[in-house]
Amino acid sequence: MSAHLAASPGSSTPDPGPVPVSPSTPTPTPTPAPTATPAPARALGRPFAAQLTSTGAANLGDGVLAALVPLIAIGLTTSPAQVSLLSAATWLPWLLLGIAAGVLVDRADRRRIQVFALLARAALLGTAALLAAQDLLTMPILLIVALLYGATEVLADLGATSILPDLVPAERLPAANGRVIAVQQVTNGFLGAPLAAALLVVGAAWGLGAAGALAALAALVLLVGLRGSFRHASTPHRAPPGSVTAAPAAPTGGDAGSPTPSATTRMAAAGAEVREGLAFLWRHPVLRPLTINAAVLNAASTGYMAVFVLWAVGPASHIGLSEAQFPFLMLGFAAGAVAGSFLAQRVQDALGEIRTIVVTLTVNTLLLLTPIVLTGLPALLVAFAAIGALNAIGNVVSQSLRQRLVPRSLLGRVGGAGRTLAFGMMPLGAVLGGLIAELWGLPATFLAAVAISLLAIAQVAWRVRPSTVREALTAAVARAA
């Protein structure tokens, strides 16, 4: 129930006739005359279909591992501290690598970045499967696997969200992002866990190997189905963040007589690129409030969910669900998210971007109060489905808006910086949620999460008006011209 600036990691996060597969700015569609019949929506195209298929395969592997790794862990140790380290290992790469990976994504071909990350993941999981088959898998090795897997997730996720504006017209980004989130929810939320359970029956090695094979399949789909160059090289001269332009890929070879840059020069250039991305994000009148909002909502929702199981599960809990009933709430959330991802475009067309974000996240936050006053499973299922739908709509619209506002040459760095902040707040939220519950009780954590979230949403409503978004979009079009 987090309000990611992007799609979930899995992820995640980010981005957002036939469209060319080479990076170029789509030609604006002329405004039809008032009496003309509205033109049909432009097709998302085969390049997007290839990216979506790859995303589905990769996220199915994510879903398998999300269910499989904790089960492997409890067979290796009974220490809660060691098991909890797996979750930390999953998010730590975003804190350590998010900004640097953004620089790499902006420098290199975004298709190749994804292929490299997915093939590295396949090799990693194949090695883990061999170790598991020979009973050589230990808890330290499993933690290393989780950490390295998270590193591949950072690269693959940033590459996938940053490439999306190259594959579909700008006006179709909400629809494209909606389909991406729907595929992620279906593969992660519905298919991954049952497949993991079936594979675990024949052995952990089969589950790890299957996840590795899915990563290899995702890379193969990109290699075969997505052709062209998707590199947005930064220009040697750095313009101010407010005037950065997204240029097509420059030749990678360089002049024959040009000297090779020293290591110090390359590091200085990388540092300048990081500062450029951070400055663009910090100075932007729309993106900065949205990023702060995402970070606060992520922290609040993580704190909420960190202790929610104590409120919901067990005969002594307030709600009194059994362990078998509790997963249905998560399935209800996933089902709502799938529905919301398909409704996002229509809601945005009706309300506009910023009103959609504010309204959906406000209602989503207020619905977090329902478990305090309701105890019946059917009513909670409806509430969680609504939370999932509203969360998905808000995420699709904010992701699509970011993809339209950020120059394509900066998408990786801005996305990496935003997700580093948003995901970095989640462990802090979990710790604070547990501390508040320990001192003042579980309802205090829930009420604090709702109150903090409403304050974060209020700062978006106060600082970002529809006119602010229109002016920012106009400036983005002018920079790309």
Side-chain angles (χ1 to χ4, degrees):
M1 280 178 285
S2 57
H4 294 170
L5 193 63
S8 78
S11 56
S12 63
T13 64
D15 241 90
V19 182
V21 298
S22 58
S24 58
T25 303
T27 303
T29 303
T31 304
T35 57
T37 303
R42 296 172 66 181
L44 294 176
R46 293 179 63 184
F48 172 75
Q51 178 66 52
L52 187 65
T53 303
S54 175
T55 297
N59 274 268
L60 182 55
D62 287 344
V64 169
L65 284 182
L68 185 67
V69 168
L71 297 176
I72 296 175
I74 61 176
L76 298 173
T77 181
T78 57
S79 168
Q82 289 188 34
V83 174
S84 66
L85 286 176
L86 286 171
S87 178
T90 301
W91 296 109
L92 186 59
W94 278 106
L95 290 174
L96 299 178
L97 305 175
I99 295 177
V103 174
L104 181 60
V105 167
D106 283 343
R107 284 184 171 188
D109 187 298
R110 290 161 181 173
R111 167 178 166 268
R112 293 182 180 178
I113 286 287
Q114 293 181 76
V115 170
F116 168 80
L118 291 168
L119 291 178
R121 179 184 302 179
L124 172 69
L125 295 176
T127 302
L130 290 175
L131 292 174
Q134 299 176 32
D135 289 328
L136 297 177
L137 194 61
T138 63
M139 195 62 196
I141 291 177
L142 189 62
L143 286 170
I144 293 173
V145 169
L147 187 65
L148 294 177
Y149 186 92
T152 68
E153 180 67 22
V154 172
L155 287 173
D157 190 50
L158 283 177
T161 55
S162 299
I163 203 175
L164 206 58
D166 293 329
L167 305 180
V168 300
E171 70 273 11
R172 296 288 284 154
L173 280 172
N177 282 305
R179 282 159 178 74
V180 169
I181 288 182
V183 166
Q184 290 172 341
Q185 290 293 337
V186 169
T187 53
N188 254 318
F190 291 111
L191 301 179
L195 181 56
L199 291 168
L200 193 60
V201 172
V202 293
W206 286 91
L208 293 168
L214 286 167
L217 176 62
L220 180 63
V221 170
L222 291 178
L223 284 171
V224 174
L226 197 57
R227 301 297 179 89
S229 173
F230 297 92
R231 182 172 181 265
H232 291 270
S234 300
T235 56
H237 174 69
R238 302 245 170 247
S243 60
V244 172
T245 60
T252 59
D255 296 333
S258 60
T260 302
S262 66
T264 303
T265 302
R266 291 194 298 268
M267 291 180 63
E273 291 178 27
V274 168
R275 291 192 296 272
E276 183 182 17
L278 291 174
F280 184 92
L281 179 62
W282 181 252
R283 297 172 185 172
H284 201 282
V286 177
L287 295 178
R288 182 170 68 174
L290 288 180
T291 301
I292 294 172
N293 178 69
V296 173
L297 263 63
N298 276 358
S301 62
T302 303
Y304 185 106
M305 292 306 297
V307 296
F308 179 71
V309 66
L310 300 174
W311 183 259
V313 179
S317 67
H318 177 78
I319 298 176
L321 298 178
S322 67
E323 293 182 358
Q325 290 174 319
F326 183 72
F328 284 100
L329 293 182
M330 299 301 105
L331 287 176
F333 177 86
V338 172
S341 65
F342 284 100
L343 293 173
Q345 177 86 63
R346 295 182 182 180
V347 177
Q348 176 183 306
D349 290 344
L351 299 180
E353 289 97 337
I354 202 63
R355 289 194 183 98
T356 298
I357 294 171
V358 170
V359 170
T360 56
L361 294 184
T362 299
V363 178
N364 174 83
T365 299
L366 293 174
L367 284 173
L368 293 177
L369 296 172
T370 54
I372 300 178
V373 297
L374 298 177
T375 58
L377 181 59
L380 289 174
L381 279 173
V382 173
F384 270 66
I387 290 171
L390 292 167
N391 189 68
I393 292 171
N395 282 344
V396 166
V397 175
S398 60
Q399 171 91 325
S400 303
L401 181 59
R402 180 176 67 84
Q403 290 167 336
R404 294 169 64 195
L405 290 173
V406 179
R408 296 189 186 183
S409 62
L410 283 172
L411 273 172
R413 279 166 284 171
V414 173
R419 293 182 184 204
T420 296
L421 177 61
F423 293 159
M425 292 292 288
M426 294 171 75
L428 176 62
V431 172
L432 289 177
L435 181 61
I436 293 172
E438 190 75 26
L439 295 175
W440 296 293
L442 293 171
T445 295
F446 303 148
L447 293 173
V450 170
I452 292 171
S453 298
L454 290 176
L455 287 175
I457 299 168
Q459 67 92 24
V460 173
W462 176 55
R463 298 183 63 183
V464 185
R465 307 297 173 87
S467 59
T468 312
V469 175
R470 287 194 296 270
E471 292 170 2
L473 288 171
T474 301
V477 171
R479 282 194 300 267

